[in-house]
Amino acid sequence: MNLFWDNASTTPVCAAAVKACCEMMAEGYYNPSALYDKGLAVKRRVEDARKTLATALNIKPETLTFVSGATEANNWVMQAGFKNKNGNIVISEGEHPSVYQPAFALKARGVDVRTVPLAPSGAIDVSAFERAVDANTSLVSVMHCSNETGSVNPLSDLVRVVRSKAPRALFHSDGVQAFGKLRTDLLYLDVDLYSISAHKIGGPKGIGALYAKHPLAALLVGGGQERGLRSGTENTPGIVGFAAAAACYHSQAPQCIDGLRRQLCTIANSRINGDPHCNSGYIVSVSFEGVKAEILQHMLSDRGICVGTGSACSSKSKDNRVLRSMGVSPSGIEGNIRISPGTETTDEEIAAGVAVIRECVETLRGKIHG
Ligand code: PMP
């Protein structure tokens, strides 16, 4: 069995992206800042890629800056997006560590950082959000779609709250798990800042971009690349590969996801975390009572099935702040795996994979109770 069901962590690089990256490395290796023809041709490829991605986001190309990935984009926002030092920052408990940790670094330096809990649906608790934002709010960061559960936040509603209560605040959203999957018309969503990453949509690793309606202070200074905002010779294979992936990524959720949820629910003492009605359709977070997720993950890996166990479990702690905030019990957190099938996954693969999961869960429970 060979089932890669961890597409929320990364995706296989699509053929078009591989071709684009290889071409840039083998033939288009010239420095895009060089003023001879070959350099200018590479520069044009970079700008074409920017246009392709900008079109997908319905933004002006010059508002998109290439960076090394969403971690960098999110850190940049937290470093440069918080301008009123007497103001406050509002984030959700569901944020990726690349937002959460820089926010907490600011908190350690005395900044008023407010974390808004999640509802059991997995989306942000909108009433708590409304209470957290006030006239002093200077920066808000709420992800578009959760990497843990696939839950989708009502971004437009949240932006409206911020515009009315804190008109000068910047609204950032981490769009990594949404780009290519949900509607990411940023003019419609009316966000100020938005992070994306290539390797979640069939592109190469180590390349992402930050949309900024108005430029932030420069992240890196030096050679002045990326309009002086992010110096460093551009990752041209990555940039061109990113655009190639975005152009061909099927923005169709895996067809099998409902069937996957239904079949998982037939395993005794299992529970789907979050509300399927406000979900991207790409991620299923499921908990098995009485099972240790890491052991299950290893057993599945031995049988050729790759699943995730949630980012917090990578540390020594068995806690998971995202699921905890949604009200998932400690045993539900301990027995939680994240399944993110590929867009091409078939119903037959789902049936076969769930049968193996059932068998492993029952074996593990037997070991504990037997
Ligand atoms: N935000 C979210 C929601 C993610 O899922 C990830 C990838 N795990 C990141 C940020 C970080 O992206 P990158 O790997 O491009 O740094």
Side-chain angles (χ1 to χ4, degrees):
M1 196 166 278
N2 181 17
L3 297 177
F4 179 67
W5 284 0
D6 196 20
N7 284 267
S9 76
T10 200
T11 51
V13 184
C14 71
V18 171
K19 184 163 175 279
C21 294
C22 289
E23 253 172 44
M24 294 307 288
M25 286 191 278
E27 291 141 40
Y29 55 82
Y30 306 96
N31 193 316
S33 298
L35 296 178
Y36 36 77
D37 284 354
K38 289 185 164 89
L40 294 172
V42 172
K43 175 84 183 151
R44 271 195 300 278
R45 297 288 304 267
V46 168
E47 294 315 316
D48 286 348
R50 200 187 309 276
K51 275 188 208 135
T52 301
L53 293 165
T55 304
L57 294 165
N58 192 25
I59 53 167
K60 293 197 186 102
E62 61 272 22
T63 57
L64 197 64
T65 305
F66 288 113
V67 293
S68 72
T71 298
E72 184 175 316
N74 291 344
N75 273 264
W76 188 7
V77 167
M78 287 295 143
Q79 275 166 39
F82 179 59
K83 291 176 191 148
N84 172 10
K85 301 298 173 206
N86 297 318
N88 62 67
I89 299 178
V90 177
I91 64 169
S92 87
E93 272 298 334
E95 295 310 302
H96 187 267
S98 56
V99 166
Y100 204 82
Q101 288 188 23
F104 269 73
L106 290 171
K107 191 175 172 122
R109 286 199 260 133
V111 175
D112 177 4
V113 176
R114 304 171 179 185
T115 50
V116 179
L118 304 180
S121 68
I124 194 168
D125 178 334
V126 178
S127 317
F129 180 77
E130 281 170 354
R131 286 193 299 276
V133 175
D134 63 22
N136 265 338
T137 301
S138 161
L139 177 64
V140 173
S141 187
V142 179
M143 69 202 320
H144 197 169
C145 172
S146 167
N147 53 301
E148 293 274 353
T149 58
S151 300
V152 178
N153 281 313
L155 276 196
S156 305
D157 296 346
L158 304 177
V159 171
R160 232 171 285 132
V161 169
V162 173
R163 299 290 178 240
S164 76
K165 291 184 99 174
R168 295 228 296 274
L170 293 178
F171 195 112
H172 168 250
S173 187
D174 174 344
V176 169
Q177 298 289 344
F179 183 57
K181 297 166 184 165
L182 305 175
R183 185 176 176 203
T184 51
D185 178 336
L186 299 190
L187 282 191
Y188 164 78
L189 291 172
D190 192 29
V191 293
D192 300 293
L193 300 152
Y194 197 82
S195 311
I196 57 175
S197 178
H199 72 104
K200 310 288 183 172
I201 59 156
K205 291 162 186 62
I207 183 73
L210 178 70
Y211 159 71
K213 195 190 281 175
H214 304 292
L216 293 176
L219 174 68
L220 298 175
V221 291
Q225 290 88 348
E226 294 294 285
R227 303 176 316 288
L229 297 175
R230 202 274 187 184
S231 285
T233 302
E234 296 87 338
N235 172 0
T236 51
I239 291 170
V240 175
F242 190 177
C248 72
Y249 192 77
H250 315 274
S251 62
Q252 233 178 17
Q255 296 298 307
C256 55
I257 214 95
D258 284 338
L260 171 62
R261 278 197 203 99
R262 264 198 312 278
Q263 291 181 44
L264 287 169
C265 286
T266 66
I267 299 175
N269 296 321
S270 65
R271 186 198 142 116
I272 304 291
N273 300 308
D275 179 355
H277 296 107
C278 64
N279 194 279
S280 65
Y282 286 77
I283 298 176
V284 175
S285 168
V286 59
S287 294
F288 302 106
E289 287 288 327
V291 166
K292 287 193 169 45
E294 294 92 70
I295 301 177
L296 175 60
Q297 184 189 38
H298 280 123
M299 271 179 98
L300 292 173
S301 164
D302 288 344
R303 288 158 178 76
I305 306 179
C306 300
V307 299
T309 47
S311 53
C313 293
S314 58
S315 71
K316 278 194 200 99
S317 142
K318 293 281 184 293
D319 195 12
N320 180 318
R321 98 178 114 76
V322 179
L323 298 179
R324 179 162 35 89
S325 183
M326 292 165 61
V328 178
S329 65
S331 59
I333 290 173
E334 190 168 45
N336 169 256
I337 60 169
R338 178 186 68 176
I339 307 179
S340 45
T343 48
E344 313 276 297
T345 305
T346 62
D347 291 339
E348 291 72 32
E349 286 172 328
I350 292 290
V354 173
V356 174
I357 294 174
R358 183 192 309 278
E359 181 203 311
C360 292
V361 165
E362 284 168 1
T363 305
L364 286 174
R365 284 186 179 141
K367 276 198 179 132
I368 290 164
H369 300 300

Coordinates of all heavy atoms in Angstrom, one line a residue, residues 149-213:
T149 N -7.1 21.2 11.3 CA -8.5 20.7 11.1 C -9.1 21.0 9.8 O -10.1 20.4 9.4 CB -9.4 21.3 12.2 OG1 -9.4 22.7 12.1 CG2 -9.0 20.9 13.6
G150 N -8.6 21.9 9.0 CA -9.2 22.3 7.8 C -10.3 23.3 8.0 O -11.0 23.7 7.0
S151 N -10.6 23.7 9.2 CA -11.7 24.6 9.5 C -11.4 26.0 8.8 O -10.3 26.5 8.9 CB -11.9 24.8 11.0 OG -12.1 23.6 11.6
V152 N -12.5 26.6 8.3 CA -12.3 27.8 7.6 C -12.9 29.0 8.4 O -14.0 28.9 8.9 CB -13.1 27.7 6.2 CG1 -13.0 29.1 5.4 CG2 -12.5 26.6 5.4
N153 N -12.1 30.0 8.5 CA -12.6 31.2 9.3 C -13.4 32.1 8.4 O -13.1 32.3 7.2 CB -11.4 31.9 9.9 CG -10.9 31.2 11.1 OD1 -11.6 30.9 12.0 ND2 -9.6 31.0 11.2
P154 N -14.4 32.8 9.0 CA -15.2 33.7 8.2 C -14.5 35.1 8.0 O -14.8 36.0 8.7 CB -16.5 33.9 9.1 CG -16.0 33.6 10.5 CD -14.8 32.7 10.4
L155 N -13.5 35.1 7.2 CA -12.6 36.2 7.1 C -13.3 37.5 6.8 O -13.0 38.5 7.5 CB -11.5 36.0 5.9 CG -10.3 35.2 6.3 CD1 -9.2 35.4 5.2 CD2 -9.7 35.5 7.6
S156 N -14.2 37.6 5.9 CA -14.9 38.8 5.5 C -15.6 39.4 6.7 O -15.6 40.6 7.0 CB -15.9 38.6 4.4 OG -15.3 38.0 3.3
D157 N -16.2 38.5 7.5 CA -16.9 39.0 8.7 C -15.9 39.6 9.7 O -16.2 40.6 10.3 CB -17.7 37.9 9.4 CG -18.8 37.3 8.5 OD1 -19.1 37.9 7.5 OD2 -19.3 36.2 8.9
L158 N -14.8 38.9 9.9 CA -13.8 39.4 10.8 C -13.2 40.7 10.4 O -13.0 41.6 11.2 CB -12.7 38.3 11.0 CG -13.2 36.9 11.4 CD1 -12.0 35.9 11.5 CD2 -13.9 36.9 12.8
V159 N -13.0 40.8 9.1 CA -12.4 42.1 8.6 C -13.4 43.2 8.8 O -13.0 44.3 9.3 CB -12.1 42.0 7.0 CG1 -11.7 43.3 6.5 CG2 -11.0 41.0 6.8
R160 N -14.7 42.9 8.6 CA -15.7 44.0 8.9 C -15.6 44.5 10.3 O -15.7 45.7 10.6 CB -17.1 43.4 8.5 CG -17.8 44.4 7.6 CD -19.1 43.7 7.1 NE -18.8 42.7 6.1 CZ -19.4 41.5 6.0 NH1 -20.2 41.1 7.0 NH2 -19.1 40.6 5.1
V161 N -15.5 43.5 11.3 CA -15.4 43.9 12.7 C -14.2 44.8 12.9 O -14.3 45.9 13.6 CB -15.2 42.6 13.6 CG1 -14.9 43.0 15.0 CG2 -16.5 41.8 13.5
V162 N -13.1 44.5 12.3 CA -11.9 45.3 12.5 C -12.0 46.6 11.9 O -11.7 47.7 12.5 CB -10.6 44.5 11.9 CG1 -9.4 45.4 12.0 CG2 -10.4 43.2 12.7
R163 N -12.6 46.7 10.7 CA -12.7 48.0 10.0 C -13.6 48.9 10.8 O -13.4 50.1 10.8 CB -13.3 47.8 8.6 CG -12.5 47.0 7.6 CD -11.2 47.7 7.2 NE -10.4 46.8 6.3 CZ -9.2 46.4 6.6 NH1 -8.5 46.7 7.7 NH2 -8.5 45.6 5.7
S164 N -14.6 48.4 11.5 CA -15.5 49.3 12.2 C -14.9 49.6 13.6 O -15.1 50.8 14.0 CB -16.9 48.7 12.3 OG -16.9 47.7 13.3
K165 N -14.3 48.7 14.2 CA -13.8 49.0 15.6 C -12.4 49.6 15.6 O -12.0 50.3 16.5 CB -13.8 47.7 16.5 CG -15.2 47.2 16.8 CD -15.2 46.0 17.7 CE -15.4 46.4 19.2 NZ -15.5 45.3 20.0
A166 N -11.6 49.2 14.7 CA -10.1 49.7 14.7 C -9.7 50.0 13.2 O -9.0 49.2 12.6 CB -9.2 48.6 15.2
P167 N -10.2 51.1 12.7 CA -10.1 51.3 11.2 C -8.6 51.4 10.8 O -8.3 51.2 9.6 CB -10.7 52.7 11.0 CG -11.5 53.0 12.3 CD -11.0 52.1 13.4
R168 N -7.7 51.7 11.7 CA -6.3 51.8 11.3 C -5.5 50.5 11.4 O -4.3 50.4 11.0 CB -5.6 52.9 12.1 CG -6.2 54.3 11.8 CD -5.1 55.4 11.5 NE -4.3 55.6 12.7 CZ -4.6 56.4 13.7 NH1 -5.7 57.1 13.6 NH2 -3.7 56.6 14.7
A169 N -6.1 49.5 12.0 CA -5.4 48.2 12.2 C -5.2 47.5 10.9 O -5.9 47.6 9.9 CB -6.2 47.3 13.1
L170 N -4.1 46.7 10.8 CA -3.8 45.9 9.7 C -4.4 44.5 9.9 O -4.2 44.0 11.0 CB -2.3 45.8 9.5 CG -1.5 47.1 9.1 CD1 0.0 46.8 8.9 CD2 -2.1 47.6 7.7
F171 N -5.0 44.0 8.9 CA -5.5 42.6 9.0 C -4.7 41.6 8.2 O -4.7 41.8 6.9 CB -7.0 42.6 8.5 CG -7.7 41.3 9.0 CD1 -8.7 41.4 9.9 CD2 -7.4 40.1 8.4 CE1 -9.4 40.2 10.3 CE2 -8.0 38.9 8.8 CZ -9.0 39.0 9.8
H172 N -4.0 40.7 8.9 CA -3.2 39.7 8.2 C -3.9 38.3 8.2 O -4.6 38.0 9.3 CB -1.8 39.6 8.8 CG -1.1 38.3 8.3 ND1 -0.9 37.2 9.2 CD2 -0.5 38.0 7.1 CE1 -0.2 36.3 8.5 NE2 0.0 36.8 7.3
S173 N -3.8 37.6 7.2 CA -4.3 36.2 7.2 C -3.3 35.3 6.6 O -2.7 35.6 5.6 CB -5.6 36.1 6.5 OG -6.2 34.8 6.6
D174 N -3.0 34.2 7.3 CA -2.2 33.1 6.8 C -3.0 32.3 5.9 O -3.9 31.6 6.3 CB -1.7 32.3 8.0 CG -0.8 31.1 7.6 OD1 -0.9 30.7 6.5 OD2 -0.2 30.6 8.5
G175 N -2.7 32.4 4.6 CA -3.6 31.7 3.6 C -3.0 30.4 3.0 O -3.4 29.9 2.0
V176 N -2.0 29.9 3.7 CA -1.3 28.7 3.2 C -2.2 27.6 2.9 O -2.1 26.9 1.8 CB -0.2 28.3 4.3 CG1 0.4 26.9 3.9 CG2 0.9 29.3 4.3
Q177 N -3.1 27.3 3.8 CA -4.0 26.1 3.5 C -5.2 26.4 2.7 O -6.1 25.6 2.5 CB -4.4 25.5 4.9 CG -3.2 25.0 5.7 CD -2.6 23.7 5.2 OE1 -3.2 23.0 4.3 NE2 -1.4 23.4 5.6
A178 N -5.3 27.7 2.3 CA -6.5 28.1 1.6 C -6.2 28.4 0.1 O -7.0 28.1 -0.8 CB -7.1 29.4 2.2
F179 N -5.0 28.9 -0.1 CA -4.6 29.3 -1.5 C -4.7 28.1 -2.5 O -4.1 27.0 -2.2 CB -3.2 29.9 -1.5 CG -2.8 30.4 -2.9 CD1 -3.5 31.3 -3.6 CD2 -1.6 29.8 -3.5 CE1 -3.2 31.7 -4.9 CE2 -1.3 30.3 -4.8 CZ -2.0 31.2 -5.4
G180 N -5.4 28.2 -3.6 CA -5.5 27.1 -4.5 C -6.7 26.2 -4.2 O -7.0 25.3 -4.9
K181 N -7.3 26.4 -3.0 CA -8.4 25.5 -2.5 C -9.7 26.2 -2.3 O -10.7 25.7 -2.6 CB -7.9 24.8 -1.2 CG -6.7 24.0 -1.5 CD -6.0 23.5 -0.2 CE -4.7 22.8 -0.6 NZ -3.8 22.6 0.5
L182 N -9.6 27.4 -1.7 CA -10.8 28.2 -1.4 C -10.7 29.5 -2.3 O -9.7 29.7 -2.9 CB -10.8 28.6 0.1 CG -10.7 27.5 1.1 CD1 -10.6 28.1 2.5 CD2 -11.9 26.6 1.0
R183 N -11.8 30.2 -2.2 CA -11.8 31.5 -3.0 C -10.8 32.5 -2.3 O -11.0 32.8 -1.1 CB -13.2 32.1 -3.0 CG -13.3 33.3 -3.8 CD -14.8 33.8 -3.9 NE -14.8 35.1 -4.6 CZ -15.7 36.0 -4.5 NH1 -16.8 35.8 -3.7 NH2 -15.7 37.1 -5.2
T184 N -9.8 32.9 -3.0 CA -8.8 33.7 -2.4 C -8.7 35.0 -3.2 O -7.6 35.5 -3.6 CB -7.4 33.1 -2.3 OG1 -7.1 32.6 -3.6 CG2 -7.3 31.9 -1.3
D185 N -9.9 35.6 -3.4 CA -10.0 36.9 -4.0 C -9.7 38.0 -2.9 O -10.6 38.3 -2.1 CB -11.4 37.1 -4.6 CG -11.6 38.5 -5.2 OD1 -10.9 39.4 -4.8 OD2 -12.4 38.6 -6.1
L186 N -8.5 38.5 -2.9 CA -8.1 39.3 -1.7 C -8.7 40.7 -1.7 O -8.9 41.3 -0.6 CB -6.6 39.4 -1.6 CG -5.8 38.1 -1.5 CD1 -4.3 38.4 -1.2 CD2 -6.4 37.2 -0.4
L187 N -9.1 41.1 -2.9 CA -9.8 42.4 -2.9 C -11.2 42.2 -2.3 O -11.7 43.1 -1.5 CB -10.0 42.9 -4.3 CG -8.8 43.6 -4.9 CD1 -9.1 44.3 -6.2 CD2 -8.1 44.6 -4.0
Y188 N -11.8 41.1 -2.6 CA -13.1 40.8 -2.0 C -13.0 40.6 -0.5 O -13.8 41.1 0.3 CB -13.7 39.6 -2.7 CG -14.9 38.9 -1.9 CD1 -16.2 39.5 -2.0 CD2 -14.7 37.8 -1.2 CE1 -17.2 39.0 -1.3 CE2 -15.7 37.2 -0.4 CZ -17.0 37.8 -0.5 OH -18.0 37.3 0.2
L189 N -12.0 39.8 -0.1 CA -11.8 39.5 1.3 C -11.4 40.8 2.1 O -11.6 40.9 3.3 CB -10.8 38.4 1.5 CG -11.2 37.0 1.1 CD1 -10.0 36.1 1.2 CD2 -12.3 36.5 1.9
D190 N -10.7 41.7 1.4 CA -10.4 43.0 1.9 C -9.3 43.0 3.1 O -9.3 43.8 4.0 CB -11.6 43.8 2.4 CG -11.3 45.2 2.8 OD1 -10.4 45.8 2.1 OD2 -12.0 45.8 3.7
V191 N -8.4 41.9 3.0 CA -7.3 41.8 4.0 C -6.2 42.8 3.5 O -6.1 43.2 2.4 CB -6.8 40.4 4.1 CG1 -7.9 39.5 4.7 CG2 -6.3 39.9 2.7
D192 N -5.3 43.1 4.5 CA -4.2 44.0 4.2 C -2.9 43.2 3.9 O -2.1 43.6 3.1 CB -3.9 44.9 5.4 CG -5.0 45.8 5.8 OD1 -5.4 46.6 5.0 OD2 -5.6 45.5 6.8
L193 N -2.9 42.0 4.5 CA -1.7 41.2 4.3 C -2.1 39.7 4.2 O -3.1 39.3 4.9 CB -0.8 41.3 5.6 CG -0.3 42.7 5.9 CD1 0.0 42.9 7.4 CD2 1.0 43.0 5.1
Y194 N -1.4 38.9 3.4 CA -1.8 37.5 3.2 C -0.6 36.7 2.8 O 0.2 37.1 1.9 CB -2.8 37.5 2.0 CG -3.7 36.2 1.9 CD1 -4.8 36.1 2.7 CD2 -3.4 35.2 1.0 CE1 -5.6 34.9 2.6 CE2 -4.2 34.1 0.9 CZ -5.3 34.0 1.7 OH -6.1 32.8 1.6
S195 N -0.4 35.6 3.5 CA 0.8 34.7 3.2 C 0.4 33.5 2.5 O -0.6 32.9 2.8 CB 1.4 34.3 4.6 OG 1.6 35.3 5.5
I196 N 1.3 33.1 1.5 CA 1.0 31.9 0.8 C 2.4 31.1 0.6 O 3.4 31.7 0.8 CB 0.4 32.1 -0.6 CG1 1.3 33.1 -1.5 CG2 -1.0 32.7 -0.5 CD1 0.8 33.2 -2.9
S197 N 2.2 29.8 0.3 CA 3.4 29.0 0.2 C 3.2 28.0 -0.9 O 2.1 27.5 -1.1 CB 3.6 28.2 1.5 OG 4.7 27.3 1.4
A198 N 4.3 27.7 -1.7 CA 4.2 26.9 -2.9 C 4.0 25.4 -2.6 O 3.3 24.7 -3.4 CB 5.4 27.1 -3.8
H199 N 4.7 24.9 -1.5 CA 4.7 23.4 -1.5 C 3.5 22.8 -1.0 O 3.4 21.6 -0.9 CB 6.0 23.0 -0.6 CG 5.9 23.3 0.9 ND1 5.6 22.3 1.7 CD2 6.0 24.4 1.6 CE1 5.7 22.8 3.0 NE2 5.9 24.1 2.9
K200 N 2.4 23.6 -0.7 CA 1.1 23.0 -0.3 C 0.2 22.8 -1.5 O -0.9 22.3 -1.4 CB 0.4 23.9 0.7 CG 1.3 24.3 1.9 CD 1.5 23.2 2.9 CE 2.3 23.7 4.1 NZ 2.5 22.8 5.1
I201 N 0.7 23.3 -2.7 CA -0.2 23.2 -3.9 C 0.6 22.6 -5.1 O 0.4 23.0 -6.2 CB -0.8 24.6 -4.3 CG1 0.3 25.6 -4.5 CG2 -1.8 25.1 -3.2 CD1 -0.1 26.8 -5.4
G202 N 1.5 21.7 -4.8 CA 2.2 21.1 -5.9 C 3.4 21.8 -6.4 O 4.0 21.6 -7.4
G203 N 3.9 22.8 -5.6 CA 5.1 23.6 -6.0 C 6.3 23.1 -5.1 O 6.2 22.3 -4.3
P204 N 7.4 23.8 -5.4 CA 8.6 23.4 -4.7 C 8.7 24.0 -3.2 O 7.9 24.9 -3.0 CB 9.8 24.0 -5.5 CG 9.1 25.1 -6.2 CD 7.7 24.8 -6.4
K205 N 9.5 23.4 -2.4 CA 9.6 24.0 -1.0 C 10.6 25.2 -1.0 O 11.4 25.3 -1.9 CB 10.2 22.9 -0.1 CG 9.2 21.7 0.1 CD 9.8 20.5 0.6 CE 8.8 19.4 0.6 NZ 8.2 19.0 -0.7
G206 N 10.5 26.0 0.0 CA 11.4 27.1 0.1 C 11.0 28.3 -0.7 O 11.9 29.1 -1.0
I207 N 9.8 28.4 -1.1 CA 9.3 29.6 -1.8 C 7.9 29.9 -1.4 O 7.0 29.0 -1.3 CB 9.5 29.5 -3.3 CG1 9.1 30.8 -4.0 CG2 8.7 28.3 -3.9 CD1 10.1 31.9 -3.9
G208 N 7.7 31.2 -1.1 CA 6.3 31.6 -0.7 C 6.2 33.1 -1.1 O 7.1 33.6 -1.7
A209 N 5.1 33.7 -0.7 CA 5.0 35.1 -1.0 C 4.1 35.8 0.0 O 3.3 35.2 0.7 CB 4.4 35.3 -2.4
L210 N 4.3 37.1 0.2 CA 3.5 37.9 1.1 C 2.8 39.0 0.2 O 3.5 39.8 -0.5 CB 4.3 38.6 2.2 CG 3.5 39.4 3.1 CD1 2.6 38.6 4.0 CD2 4.4 40.3 4.0
Y211 N 1.5 39.0 0.3 CA 0.8 40.2 -0.2 C 0.7 41.3 0.8 O 0.4 41.0 2.0 CB -0.7 39.7 -0.6 CG -1.6 40.9 -0.7 CD1 -1.6 41.8 -1.8 CD2 -2.6 41.1 0.2 CE1 -2.5 42.9 -1.9 CE2 -3.5 42.1 0.1 CZ -3.4 43.0 -0.9 OH -4.3 44.1 -1.0
A212 N 1.0 42.5 0.4 CA 0.9 43.6 1.3 C 0.2 44.7 0.5 O 0.8 45.3 -0.4 CB 2.2 44.1 1.9
K213 N -0.9 45.1 0.9 CA -1.7 46.2 0.2 C -0.8 47.4 0.2 O -0.6 48.1 -0.8 CB -3.0 46.4 1.0 CG -4.0 47.3 0.1 CD -5.2 47.7 1.0 CE -6.2 46.6 1.2 NZ -7.3 47.1 2.1

